[in-house]
Coordinates of all heavy atoms in Angstrom, one line a residue:
A1 N -22.0 -53.7 -30.0 CA -22.5 -55.0 -29.5 C -21.3 -55.9 -29.3 O -20.4 -56.0 -30.1 CB -23.5 -55.6 -30.5
L2 N -21.3 -56.6 -28.2 CA -20.3 -57.6 -27.8 C -20.9 -58.9 -27.5 O -21.7 -59.0 -26.5 CB -19.4 -57.0 -26.7 CG -18.3 -58.0 -26.2 CD1 -17.3 -58.2 -27.2 CD2 -17.7 -57.4 -24.9
I3 N -20.7 -59.9 -28.3 CA -21.3 -61.2 -28.1 C -20.5 -62.0 -27.1 O -19.3 -62.1 -27.2 CB -21.4 -62.0 -29.4 CG1 -22.3 -61.2 -30.4 CG2 -21.9 -63.4 -29.2 CD1 -22.3 -61.8 -31.8
K4 N -21.2 -62.5 -26.1 CA -20.6 -63.3 -25.0 C -21.3 -64.6 -24.8 O -22.5 -64.7 -25.2 CB -20.5 -62.4 -23.7 CG -19.9 -61.1 -23.9 CD -19.7 -60.3 -22.6 CE -18.4 -60.8 -21.9 NZ -18.1 -60.0 -20.7
P5 N -20.6 -65.6 -24.2 CA -21.3 -66.8 -23.9 C -22.4 -66.7 -22.8 O -22.4 -65.7 -22.0 CB -20.2 -67.7 -23.4 CG -19.1 -66.8 -22.9 CD -19.2 -65.6 -23.7
A6 N -23.2 -67.6 -22.7 CA -24.3 -67.6 -21.7 C -23.9 -68.1 -20.4 O -24.2 -69.2 -19.9 CB -25.5 -68.4 -22.3
V7 N -23.1 -67.3 -19.7 CA -22.6 -67.6 -18.4 C -23.0 -66.4 -17.5 O -23.2 -65.3 -17.9 CB -21.1 -67.9 -18.3 CG1 -20.8 -69.1 -19.2 CG2 -20.3 -66.7 -18.8
F8 N -23.1 -66.7 -16.2 CA -23.4 -65.7 -15.2 C -22.3 -64.6 -15.1 O -21.2 -65.0 -14.9 CB -23.7 -66.3 -13.9 CG -24.1 -65.3 -12.8 CD1 -25.4 -64.8 -12.7 CD2 -23.1 -64.8 -11.9 CE1 -25.7 -63.9 -11.8 CE2 -23.5 -63.8 -11.0 CZ -24.8 -63.4 -10.9
E9 N -22.8 -63.4 -15.2 CA -21.9 -62.2 -14.9 C -22.6 -61.3 -13.9 O -23.8 -60.9 -14.2 CB -21.4 -61.5 -16.2 CG -20.5 -62.3 -17.0 CD -19.8 -61.4 -18.1 OE1 -19.5 -60.3 -17.8 OE2 -19.6 -61.9 -19.2
Q10 N -22.0 -60.9 -12.9 CA -22.6 -60.1 -11.9 C -23.2 -58.8 -12.5 O -24.2 -58.3 -12.1 CB -21.6 -59.8 -10.7 CG -22.3 -59.1 -9.5 CD -23.3 -59.9 -8.9 OE1 -23.1 -61.1 -8.6 NE2 -24.5 -59.3 -8.6
K11 N -22.4 -58.1 -13.4 CA -22.9 -56.9 -14.0 C -24.1 -57.0 -14.8 O -25.0 -56.1 -14.8 CB -21.8 -56.2 -14.8 CG -21.3 -57.0 -16.0 CD -20.2 -56.3 -16.7 CE -19.7 -57.1 -18.0 NZ -18.6 -56.4 -18.7
H12 N -24.3 -58.2 -15.4 CA -25.5 -58.5 -16.2 C -26.7 -58.6 -15.2 O -27.7 -58.1 -15.4 CB -25.4 -59.8 -17.0 CG -24.4 -59.7 -18.1 ND1 -24.0 -60.8 -18.8 CD2 -23.6 -58.7 -18.6 CE1 -23.1 -60.5 -19.7 NE2 -22.8 -59.2 -19.6
F13 N -26.4 -59.4 -14.1 CA -27.5 -59.6 -13.1 C -27.9 -58.3 -12.4 O -29.1 -58.1 -12.2 CB -27.0 -60.6 -12.1 CG -28.0 -61.0 -11.1 CD1 -29.3 -61.5 -11.5 CD2 -27.8 -60.8 -9.7 CE1 -30.2 -61.9 -10.5 CE2 -28.7 -61.1 -8.8 CZ -30.0 -61.6 -9.1
D14 N -26.9 -57.5 -12.1 CA -27.3 -56.2 -11.5 C -28.1 -55.3 -12.4 O -29.1 -54.7 -12.0 CB -26.0 -55.4 -11.2 CG -25.2 -56.1 -10.1 OD1 -25.7 -56.9 -9.3 OD2 -24.0 -55.7 -9.9
L15 N -27.8 -55.3 -13.7 CA -28.6 -54.6 -14.7 C -30.0 -55.2 -14.8 O -31.0 -54.5 -14.9 CB -27.9 -54.6 -16.0 CG -28.6 -53.7 -17.1 CD1 -28.8 -52.3 -16.7 CD2 -27.9 -53.8 -18.4
Y16 N -30.1 -56.5 -14.8 CA -31.4 -57.2 -14.9 C -32.3 -56.9 -13.7 O -33.5 -56.6 -13.9 CB -31.1 -58.7 -14.9 CG -32.3 -59.6 -14.8 CD1 -33.0 -59.9 -16.0 CD2 -32.7 -60.2 -13.6 CE1 -34.1 -60.8 -16.0 CE2 -33.8 -61.1 -13.6 CZ -34.5 -61.3 -14.8 OH -35.6 -62.2 -14.8
Q17 N -31.7 -56.8 -12.5 CA -32.5 -56.4 -11.3 C -32.9 -55.0 -11.4 O -34.1 -54.7 -11.0 CB -31.6 -56.7 -10.1 CG -31.4 -58.1 -9.7 CD -30.7 -58.3 -8.4 OE1 -29.7 -57.7 -8.1 NE2 -31.3 -59.0 -7.5
L18 N -32.1 -54.1 -11.9 CA -32.4 -52.7 -12.0 C -33.6 -52.6 -13.0 O -34.5 -51.8 -12.7 CB -31.2 -51.9 -12.5 CG -31.4 -50.4 -12.8 CD1 -31.8 -49.6 -11.6 CD2 -30.2 -49.8 -13.5
Y19 N -33.5 -53.3 -14.1 CA -34.6 -53.3 -15.1 C -35.9 -53.8 -14.5 O -36.9 -53.1 -14.7 CB -34.1 -54.1 -16.3 CG -35.2 -54.2 -17.4 CD1 -35.5 -53.2 -18.3 CD2 -36.0 -55.4 -17.4 CE1 -36.4 -53.4 -19.3 CE2 -36.9 -55.6 -18.4 CZ -37.2 -54.5 -19.3 OH -38.2 -54.7 -20.3
Q20 N -35.8 -54.9 -13.9 CA -37.1 -55.5 -13.3 C -37.7 -54.6 -12.3 O -38.9 -54.4 -12.3 CB -36.8 -56.9 -12.7 CG -36.3 -57.9 -13.7 CD -37.4 -58.3 -14.8 OE1 -38.6 -58.0 -14.6 NE2 -37.0 -58.9 -15.9
Q21 N -36.9 -54.0 -11.4 CA -37.4 -53.2 -10.4 C -38.0 -51.9 -10.9 O -38.9 -51.3 -10.3 CB -36.4 -52.9 -9.3 CG -36.0 -54.2 -8.5 CD -34.7 -54.1 -7.8 OE1 -34.1 -53.0 -7.8 NE2 -34.2 -55.2 -7.2
S22 N -37.5 -51.4 -12.1 CA -37.9 -50.2 -12.7 C -39.2 -50.5 -13.5 O -40.2 -49.7 -13.5 CB -36.8 -49.6 -13.6 OG -37.3 -48.5 -14.3
R23 N -39.2 -51.5 -14.3 CA -40.3 -51.8 -15.3 C -41.3 -52.7 -14.8 O -42.5 -52.6 -15.2 CB -39.7 -52.4 -16.6 CG -38.8 -51.4 -17.4 CD -39.6 -50.1 -17.8 NE -38.9 -49.2 -18.6 CZ -39.0 -49.1 -19.9 NH1 -39.7 -49.9 -20.6 NH2 -38.3 -48.2 -20.5
H24 N -41.0 -53.7 -14.0 CA -41.9 -54.7 -13.5 C -41.8 -54.9 -12.0 O -41.5 -56.0 -11.5 CB -41.7 -56.0 -14.2 CG -41.6 -55.8 -15.7 ND1 -42.7 -55.5 -16.5 CD2 -40.6 -56.0 -16.6 CE1 -42.3 -55.4 -17.8 NE2 -41.0 -55.7 -17.8

């Protein structure tokens, strides 16, 4: 686990989109 601040990162957003398109 790596704790990071709540700022936009493209790799996070790409994973978020992948998750949403797969699960929801």
Side-chain angles (χ1 to χ4, degrees):
L2 178 63
I3 299 174
K4 306 189 79 172
V7 297
F8 179 83
E9 291 195 36
Q10 187 64 47
K11 63 180 179 181
H12 295 172
F13 182 60
D14 291 344
L15 184 60
Y16 176 82
Q17 288 187 308
L18 176 65
Y19 173 80
Q20 295 296 342
Q21 291 162 8
S22 172
R23 291 301 183 99
H24 311 292

